[in-house]
């Protein structure tokens, strides 16, 4: 441990500056002190030439303690490579799933990295849902493509060491994606070491823990000889925080997964087990790797010059370091090593701007624009330092403007520019083309691996500082002041002229039924005129055939209605809204994703919904839906004419529930709703009085109460992840499988992502299991659907993933779900 901690707690740290910094806190403003400490730390980081790549499968798999430790204490360039964007997970903060959830989790990772100091990368692998082994994972992922993208990221980032969160020998004991990520990492290391011209990382480690040993006691007894042991709970006097505090803040950004964390006090040990590469004789993972400027030919004088800047750093006047840094920048420009030259020039440019306290903003007067729309931009600059800073010019979108304005001390400069909005639609590059089950596809090959596409507009600002040139890039942003949140800043976006929105993802029809379908059209530019049409399958009838539209005013919306009649037999197809504007056709819908902890996102994708004509009997008119972790089942039920009233658990009463035909408890409600620790009794009383109660899946971790039903029930981790796994009906004559819809094996065709999850494995004798299923090679599971009488009523508990099936429009899932809530 002493060897590794040398990087941070060595003589080069110079504690006189730490003491000086603490004294400064007594008399300078907190903002200035904080800025100075950040600059000082980045100066020290400028003098470290080593890189670490952390690698795992999903957002939230990363160990933020280790990432923060290497970034903030060892001061290495540190990045996290996540194989996927986490699209297959659940969402504890809203109803977004799949691609929308992946976008949320991408932004949560970026928020986490801003806190722990790392960078963020991805492959194009799709999180298709839970996988029980890496063989299945690497069959659904394009193994060669994911390996190639991992190798490419290693070549570009050039890590000295790679740290895997999982190990390659854990097949069957953890998520298949987890094991596959470690296997890909090791294959990449081996492939690179067979190529003499390639960048070759020196070591691969496994960040092991008690999880891989079964329990804490086993891990405590395990032989840790040869492992790198690091205390990641150390205190940083520059930030006034322990590494555990920084890591907890970072971890807490994974809000959609419910991973809010509190910092652990005191020692916090992490262990790195060598998997590939040269063995260690010390506790230093960088052993044998030169992490100073001496690793580059001609770099030694640069290291000495930076050390002098660090020694001379004035916390009360950080601007004094700007000119020496400009001289160091000139020295770096002379180097032949293109990789480190590029990395360190970027670092030093940022440092110089921060030393000056220079504030630069490039703002738009509106949050988004459409191609061809008038766009007013404003450049704002302020130089609080006494140094002479000349604002030479600005470049954006191929336009260049000479400014040659001298920024006087703390005198605000602003200048407006009028232009026309131009460029590609702002949308996640991995979602602009239809992918496969296991892979996303894009024609933007140069963007693969990036967390997000480049900003719609980026300005290059040219400066002259005491006669020395420097440039910096800033994105175009939209700023507004929220009365609660204060200033809210988001990137400016380019959107299509209009957004077409269908009310539902799925429209269910009875045979021959006619329904009125609403299309909402939102004008995203100054005005939009055209002809609105619906495309429907040949067997379906439509009227009117088209509707002329004209909407003025940016952001204004209007609703339009079409009548669609289903055929006289079972049928499925897609309905697509089309807006024809002269010679252009629009078919885009826009989903706005707006949460306080991440920037606002606009998800643009083709507008289409599923039409299903089937023989569906509902047997229910009005139901209560008690909110859980968030899902779209209420909308799915409303789409077929059921009245759904959404209730909060804390507000339920027996009197209120008795007015409903059925009560449905949302997914993971007993994991996230504290009120169900005492309001669950109201549910039991409702069923006992003759009510029909349906409880959907909960996880067996972090339950608010173990009393999920009035009868004994034990939740396990059993799941059937293969959505095509055979389903056997145990008792075909059971009433719930025959009323109001007769359920057969055909009703389990076309399911998506999985059968179900977290099935009970033990239950009271009063429960009757109705279905049996299992993944290939596993024992049968009977806990997917349980029903029991309770008083005059009925309780159903199910781990079937209706929250995925109903929004996807799976006909058999609808038929079965209505049987579960229909009046007996």
């Amino acid at each position: 441990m002493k060897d590794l901690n040398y990087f941070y707690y060595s003589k080069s740290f110079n504690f006189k500056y730490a003491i000086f910094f603490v004294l400064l806190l007594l008399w300078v403003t907190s903002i200035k002190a904080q800025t100075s400490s950040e600059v000082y730390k980045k100066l020290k980081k400028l003098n470290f030439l080593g890189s670490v790549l952390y690698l795992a499968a999903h957002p939230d798999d990363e160990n933020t303690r280790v990432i923060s430790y290497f970034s903030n204490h060892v001061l290495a360039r540190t990045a996290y490579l996540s194989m996927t964007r986490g699209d297959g997970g659940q969402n504890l903060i809203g109803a977004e799933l799949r691609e929308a959830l992946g976008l949320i989790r991408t932004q949560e990772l970026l928020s986490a990295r801003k806190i722990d100091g790392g960078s963020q990368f991805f492959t194009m692998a799709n999180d298709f849902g839970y996988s029980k082994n890496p063989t299945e994972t690497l069959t659904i992922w394009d193994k060669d493509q994911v390996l190639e993208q991992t190798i490419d990221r290693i070549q570009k980032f050039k890590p000295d060491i790679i740290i895997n969160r999982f190990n390659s020998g854990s097949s069957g004991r953890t998520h298949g994606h987890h094991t596959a990520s470690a296997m890909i990492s090791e294959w990449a290391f081996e492939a690179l070491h067979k190529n003499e011209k390639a960048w070759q990382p020196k070591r691969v480690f496994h960040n092991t823990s008690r999880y891989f040993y079964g329990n804490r006691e086993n891990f405590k007894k395990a032989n840790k000889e040869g492992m790198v042991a690091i205390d990641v709970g150390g205190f940083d006097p520059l930030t006034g925080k322990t590494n555990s505090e920084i890591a907890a803040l970072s971890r807490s950004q994974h809000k959609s997964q419910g991973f809010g964390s509190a910092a652990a006090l005191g020692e916090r040990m992490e262990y790195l087990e060598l998997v590939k590469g040269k063995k260690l004789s010390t506790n230093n993972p960088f052993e044998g790797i030169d992490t100073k400027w001496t690793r580059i030919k001609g770099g030694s004088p640069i290291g000495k010059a930076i050390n002098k800047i660090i020694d001379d750093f004035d916390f009360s006047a950080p601007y004094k370091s700007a000119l020496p840094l400009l001289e160091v920048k000139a020295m770096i420009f002379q180097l032949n090593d293109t990789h480190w030259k590029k990395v360190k020039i970027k670092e030093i440019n940022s440092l110089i701007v921060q030393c000056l306290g220079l504030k630069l903003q490039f703002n738009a007067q509106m949050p988004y624009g459409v191609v061809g729309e008038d766009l007013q931009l404003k450049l704002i600059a302020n130089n609080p330092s006494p140094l002479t800073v000349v604002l030479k010019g600005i470049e954006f979108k191929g336009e260049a403007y000479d400014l040659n304005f001298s920024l006087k001390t703390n005198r605000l400069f602003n200048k407006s520019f009028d232009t026309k909005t131009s460029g590609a639609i702002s949308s996640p590059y991995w979602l602009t083309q239809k992918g496969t089950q296991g892979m996303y596809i894009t024609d933007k090959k140069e963007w693969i691996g990036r967390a997000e596409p480049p900003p719609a507009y980026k300005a290059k600002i040219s400066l002259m500082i005491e006669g020395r040139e420097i440039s910096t890039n800033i994105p175009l942003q939209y700023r507004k002041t929220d009365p609660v949140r204060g200033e809210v800043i988001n990137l400016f976006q380019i959107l299509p002229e209009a957004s077409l929105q269908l009310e539902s993802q799925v429209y269910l029809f009875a045979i021959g039924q006619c329904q009125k379908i609403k299309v909402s059209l939102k004008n995203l530019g100054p005005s939009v005129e055209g002809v609105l049409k619906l495309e429907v399958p040949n067997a379906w009838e439509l009227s009117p055939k088209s509707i002329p539209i004209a909407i003025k005013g940016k952001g204004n919306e209007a609703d339009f209605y079409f009548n669609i009649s289903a055929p006289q037999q079972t049928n499925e197809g897609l309905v697509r809204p089309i807006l024809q504007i002269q010679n252009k056709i629009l078919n885009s819908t826009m989903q706005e994703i707006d949460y306080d902890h991440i920037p606002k996102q606009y998800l643009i994708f083709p507008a289409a919904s599923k039409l299903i004509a089937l023989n569906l009997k509902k047997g229910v008119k009005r139901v209560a839906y008690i909110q859980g972790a968030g899902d779209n089942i209420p909308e799915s039920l409303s789409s077929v004419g059921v009245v759904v009233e959404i209730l909060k658990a804390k507000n339920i009463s027996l009197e209120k529930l008795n007015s409903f035909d059925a009560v449905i408890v949302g997914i993971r409600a007993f994991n996230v709703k504290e009120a169900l620790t005492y309001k669950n009794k109201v549910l039991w009383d409702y069923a006992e009085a003759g009510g029909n109660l349906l409880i959907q899946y909960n996880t067996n971790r972090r339950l608010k109460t173990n009393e999920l039903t009035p009868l004994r029930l034990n939740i396990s981790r059993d799941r059937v992840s293969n959505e095509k796994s055979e389903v056997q009906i145990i008792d075909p004559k059971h009433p719930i499988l025959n009323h109001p819809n007769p359920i057969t094996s055909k009703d389990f065709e076309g399911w998506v992502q999985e059968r179900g999850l977290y099935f009970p494995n033990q239950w009271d004798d009063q429960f009757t299991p109705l279905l049996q299923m299992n993944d290939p090679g596993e024992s049968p599971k009977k806990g997917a659907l349980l029903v029991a009488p309770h008083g005059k009523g009925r309780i159903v508990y199910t781990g079937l993933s209706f929250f995925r099936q109903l929004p996807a429009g799976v006909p058999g899932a609808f038929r079965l779900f209505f049987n579960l809530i229909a009046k007996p």
Side-chain angles (χ1 to χ4, degrees):
M1 187 165 62
K2 179 180 178 182
D3 294 323
L4 184 60
N5 289 336
Y6 168 83
F7 289 107
Y8 191 65
Y9 290 106
S10 64
K11 291 181 180 178
S12 64
F13 177 79
N14 203 332
F15 276 101
K16 69 179 181 180
Y17 292 111
I19 296 170
F20 181 49
F21 169 66
V22 172
L23 292 173
L24 280 171
L25 283 173
L26 300 175
W27 63 278
V28 297
T29 67
S30 61
I31 294 176
K32 190 168 186 177
Q34 192 174 33
T35 301
S36 295
S37 67
E38 289 174 353
V39 171
Y40 183 78
K41 190 156 203 170
K42 288 182 178 180
L43 277 172
K44 294 179 70 65
K45 195 159 191 167
L46 188 65
N47 230 7
F48 191 92
L49 279 70
S51 303
V52 178
L53 182 66
Y54 202 91
L55 190 149
H58 310 109
D60 74 42
D61 281 345
E62 85 277 27
N63 187 334
T64 55
R65 294 185 298 270
V66 172
I67 290 175
S68 177
Y69 178 82
F70 277 100
S71 176
N72 294 303
H73 290 259
V74 179
L75 304 179
R77 285 174 71 240
T78 309
Y80 176 42
L81 174 59
S82 177
M83 297 285 110
T84 76
R85 296 176 185 265
D87 313 58
Q90 281 85 49
N91 184 359
L92 291 185
I93 60 172
E96 297 89 353
L97 292 173
R98 292 305 312 159
E99 289 80 7
L101 176 59
L103 188 55
I104 290 172
R105 298 186 72 182
T106 293
Q107 291 300 319
E108 288 178 339
L109 277 176
L110 290 172
S111 295
R113 297 295 82 78
K114 287 177 184 177
I115 292 169
D116 60 36
S119 300
Q120 184 61 52
F121 303 112
F122 296 92
T123 74
M124 295 288 279
N126 185 1
D127 178 5
F128 55 84
Y130 191 84
S131 178
K132 291 186 175 178
N133 60 73
T135 302
E136 179 195 46
T137 298
L138 295 171
T139 301
I140 296 175
W141 288 354
D142 185 324
K143 180 182 73 173
D144 294 337
Q145 201 177 130
V146 178
L147 175 59
E148 179 184 340
Q149 291 168 9
T150 302
I151 290 173
D152 184 63
R153 180 51 51 197
I154 293 171
Q155 288 295 286
K156 289 175 179 174
F157 189 70
K158 292 181 168 48
D160 295 301
I161 61 174
I162 298 172
I163 302 174
N164 295 335
R165 186 59 179 124
F166 303 99
N167 64 27
S168 58
S170 59
S171 179
R173 292 188 287 116
T174 183
H175 199 317
H177 296 180
H178 294 167
T179 310
S181 71
M183 294 166 67
I184 288 169
S185 175
E186 293 179 25
W187 292 337
F189 182 88
E190 292 166 357
L192 289 167
H193 277 261
K194 292 176 182 177
N195 184 352
E196 293 181 358
K197 296 181 180 180
W199 173 261
Q200 297 178 344
K202 299 301 184 291
R203 295 182 181 94
V204 176
F205 294 96
H206 168 220
N207 180 197
T208 191
S209 69
R210 62 185 174 87
Y211 174 82
F212 299 95
Y213 286 78
N215 56 53
R216 191 184 303 273
E217 193 60 31
N218 289 346
F219 186 56
K220 187 176 180 180
K221 295 176 181 178
N223 181 11
K224 300 182 183 65
E225 186 177 348
M227 293 186 190
V228 174
I230 51 178
D231 178 8
V232 296
F235 176 73
D236 182 358
L238 288 178
T239 62
K241 291 184 174 69
T242 65
N243 187 67
S244 294
E245 289 177 289
I246 295 171
L249 288 171
S250 174
R251 183 71 171 168
S252 296
Q253 299 310 300
H254 294 297
K255 299 183 188 303
S256 65
Q257 302 303 293
F259 283 149
S261 300
L265 297 177
E267 181 182 77
R268 188 76 174 183
M269 299 304 297
E270 291 285 347
Y271 295 89
L272 306 181
E273 183 177 19
L274 185 66
V275 176
K276 299 280 183 182
K278 190 175 180 180
K279 291 185 178 181
L280 296 165
S281 59
T282 66
N283 199 55
N284 175 12
F286 283 99
E287 181 185 303
I289 302 168
D290 189 352
T291 57
K292 300 178 182 178
W293 279 95
T294 48
R295 81 180 292 169
I296 300 174
K297 184 178 180 181
S300 183
I302 296 173
K304 293 177 182 177
I306 295 173
N307 274 331
K308 187 174 190 316
I309 296 172
I310 292 171
D311 289 340
D312 295 342
F313 185 73
D314 188 341
F315 281 91
S316 63
Y319 69 85
K320 293 178 182 178
S321 295
L323 294 182
L325 282 171
L326 283 165
E327 294 175 4
V328 170
K329 179 181 174 182
M331 297 168 69
I332 296 174
F333 260 121
Q334 302 304 313
L335 297 175
N336 293 324
D337 188 303
T338 55
H339 169 68
W340 282 110
K341 180 193 292 188
K342 181 180 179 181
V343 169
K344 293 302 178 181
I345 288 295
K346 184 178 179 181
E347 285 183 22
I348 208 167
N349 280 345
S350 175
L351 258 171
I352 291 167
V353 169
Q354 286 191 329
C355 282
L356 295 172
L358 188 63
K359 301 296 181 185
L360 298 168
Q361 294 181 10
F362 188 40
N363 298 329
Q365 91 280 15
M366 55 188 182
Y368 58 82
V370 305
V371 173
E373 184 177 5
D374 291 335
L375 179 62
Q376 187 180 75
L377 313 175
K378 181 176 283 189
L379 175 65
I380 298 175
N382 188 56
N383 170 33
S385 80
L387 298 186
T388 301
V389 178
V390 177
L391 189 58
K392 294 287 291 178
I394 180 173
E395 295 178 38
F396 57 87
K397 291 283 188 179
E399 301 178 47
Y401 298 87
D402 292 328
L403 300 174
N404 293 314
F405 185 87
S406 181
L407 297 173
K408 296 180 181 179
T409 303
N410 216 28
R411 297 289 294 274
L412 188 67
F413 166 87
N414 65 75
K415 182 174 177 59
S416 296
F417 306 89
D418 293 321
T419 187
K420 296 282 187 183
T421 305
S422 64
I425 299 299
S426 301
S427 192
Y429 68 87
W430 62 95
L431 298 177
T432 56
Q433 294 176 251
K434 184 173 177 59
T436 65
Q437 182 186 5
M439 297 297 296
Y440 287 118
I441 295 173
T442 182
D443 55 5
K444 305 290 186 183
K445 304 300 182 185
E446 70 279 12
W447 294 356
I448 290 177
R450 296 180 58 151
E452 55 187 350
Y457 275 70
K458 187 165 63 173
K460 179 181 179 182
I461 313 295
S462 300
L463 304 164
M464 190 76 77
I465 302 171
E466 298 289 345
R468 298 286 185 93
E469 289 190 18
I470 185 177
S471 65
T472 187
N473 294 314
I474 56 175
L476 181 64
Q477 297 174 319
Y478 172 71
R479 296 165 183 263
K480 72 172 185 178
T481 303
D482 183 275
V484 176
R485 297 165 62 189
E487 187 177 45
V488 178
I489 305 171
N490 286 300
L491 287 176
F492 174 80
Q493 308 278 337
I494 299 176
L495 302 179
E497 289 96 321
S499 169
L500 303 164
Q501 184 72 48
L502 292 164
E503 270 189 295
S504 177
Q505 290 179 287
V506 180
Y507 292 95
L508 262 70
F509 290 71
I511 300 300
Q513 181 187 7
C514 179
Q515 287 189 39
K516 185 174 285 187
I517 301 294
K518 182 175 77 174
V519 181
S520 298
L521 196 151
K522 183 175 184 178
N523 173 39
L524 301 176
S527 64
V528 63
E529 292 186 29
V531 177
L532 180 64
K533 302 178 180 179
L534 280 187
E535 287 185 354
V536 297
N538 291 333
W540 298 67
E541 295 181 3
L542 172 71
S543 68
K545 299 297 183 184
S546 64
I547 301 175
I549 64 99
I551 303 177
K552 293 184 179 181
K554 192 179 184 73
N556 285 343
E557 295 183 61
D559 296 333
F560 304 91
Y561 295 89
F562 294 84
N563 294 309
I564 298 180
S565 296
Q568 294 298 322
Q569 67 277 339
T570 301
N571 190 279
E572 289 186 39
L574 292 177
V575 54
R576 293 186 179 89
I578 300 291
L579 179 63
Q580 187 162 354
I581 305 174
Q582 296 178 344
N583 296 325
K584 183 188 295 184
I585 289 179
L586 293 183
N587 171 238
S588 296
T589 192
M590 179 177 72
Q591 182 176 358
E592 297 182 42
I593 299 174
D594 196 6
Y595 292 98
D596 288 353
H597 68 297
I598 58 174
K600 186 172 184 177
Q601 303 293 302
Y602 296 92
L603 180 55
I604 310 295
F605 55 95
S609 294
K610 187 180 284 189
L611 295 175
I612 302 174
L614 78 159
N615 185 14
L616 175 68
K617 296 177 182 177
K618 292 174 283 190
V620 65
K621 294 181 179 179
R622 185 167 176 266
V623 302
Y625 201 91
I626 299 173
Q627 289 180 315
D631 58 68
N632 289 315
I633 288 180
E635 292 83 352
S636 298
L637 299 180
S638 298
S639 71
V640 295
V642 175
V643 177
V644 182
E645 186 171 339
I646 298 177
L647 304 177
K648 293 183 178 180
K650 64 181 180 181
N651 296 333
I652 64 174
S653 65
L654 182 59
E655 182 181 10
K656 185 177 292 186
L657 296 185
N658 279 339
S659 65
F660 294 99
D661 298 331
V663 172
I664 306 167
V665 180
I667 63 171
R668 298 173 76 169
F670 286 90
N671 294 115
V672 298
K673 299 302 178 183
E674 195 75 42
L676 287 178
T677 59
Y678 56 93
K679 285 288 188 176
N680 55 358
K681 305 299 189 298
V682 177
L683 299 177
W684 319 156
D685 291 344
Y686 164 77
E688 191 170 20
N692 191 12
L693 175 64
L694 171 62
I695 303 170
Q696 297 181 87
Y697 96 94
N698 294 271
T699 70
N700 58 359
R701 296 179 60 195
R702 300 183 181 178
L703 284 167
K704 301 299 183 183
T705 174
N706 289 320
E707 197 175 353
L708 278 61
T709 80
L711 306 172
R712 181 175 59 88
L713 188 75
N714 182 69
I715 305 299
S716 74
R717 298 185 67 82
D718 288 348
R719 64 199 301 160
V720 176
S721 59
N722 187 333
E723 66 273 22
K724 297 179 181 179
S725 292
E726 181 184 358
V727 177
Q728 296 179 25
I729 298 176
I730 297 173
D731 181 7
K733 295 182 179 181
H734 194 284
I736 207 170
L737 297 176
N738 290 275
H739 172 75
N741 304 290
I743 302 300
T744 69
S745 58
K746 287 187 177 181
D747 289 299
F748 296 95
E749 295 176 359
W751 284 47
V752 298
Q753 187 160 322
E754 63 197 354
R755 290 293 188 196
L757 60 172
Y758 294 99
F759 297 161
N761 61 355
Q762 296 177 18
W763 50 81
D764 190 280
D765 290 341
Q766 291 190 59
F767 275 116
T768 299
L770 300 178
L771 304 175
Q772 178 174 291
M773 62 189 75
N774 58 273
D775 280 322
E778 295 189 352
S779 60
K781 310 291 189 294
K782 293 185 178 181
L785 181 57
L786 305 172
V787 58
H790 188 65
K792 298 178 181 178
R794 182 175 73 190
I795 294 175
V796 178
Y797 188 95
T798 182
L800 292 172
S801 58
F802 287 110
F803 72 103
R804 298 195 191 281
Q805 312 311 320
L806 299 195
V810 179
F814 268 99
R815 287 162 50 83
L816 177 57
F817 194 88
F818 275 109
N819 279 26
L820 303 185
I821 61 174
K823 290 183 177 181

